[in-house]
């Protein structure tokens, strides 16, 4: 995770320098976005949170039939 963060920060900071932006502001914002994205990925990998329960209103045979 740290290697990915460092590699992306270095490469993307190079782009910020090329565009004439403030690297310090970018690094702070990138760190926040990276942390939120990684936390979302980790939370989403837990089966309890990621589990989707099937809808009970669409039982077999009732879809597409008119009453």
């Amino acid at each position: 995770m740290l290697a990915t963060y460092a590699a992306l920060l270095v490469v993307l900071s190079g782009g910020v320098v090329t565009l004439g932006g403030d690297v310090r502001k970018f690094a702070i914002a990138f760190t926040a976005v990276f942390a939120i994205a990684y936390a979302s990925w980790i939370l989403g990998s837990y089966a309890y949170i990621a589990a989707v329960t099937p809808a009970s209103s669409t039982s077999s045979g009732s879809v597409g039939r008119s009453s």
Side-chain angles (χ1 to χ4, degrees):
M1 177 177 94
L2 291 176
T4 302
Y5 168 77
L8 285 172
L9 185 62
V10 168
V11 170
L12 295 175
S13 292
V16 171
V17 169
T18 303
L19 293 172
D22 186 4
V23 176
R24 185 167 192 252
K25 284 184 179 180
F26 170 76
I28 292 169
F30 176 75
T31 301
V33 170
F34 188 85
I36 291 168
Y38 229 96
S40 298
W41 180 64
I42 290 170
L43 285 174
S45 67
Y46 285 109
Y48 181 75
I49 295 171
V52 177
T53 57
S56 60
S57 63
T58 57
S59 60
S60 62
S62 65
V63 176
R65 291 188 179 177
S66 61
S67 47

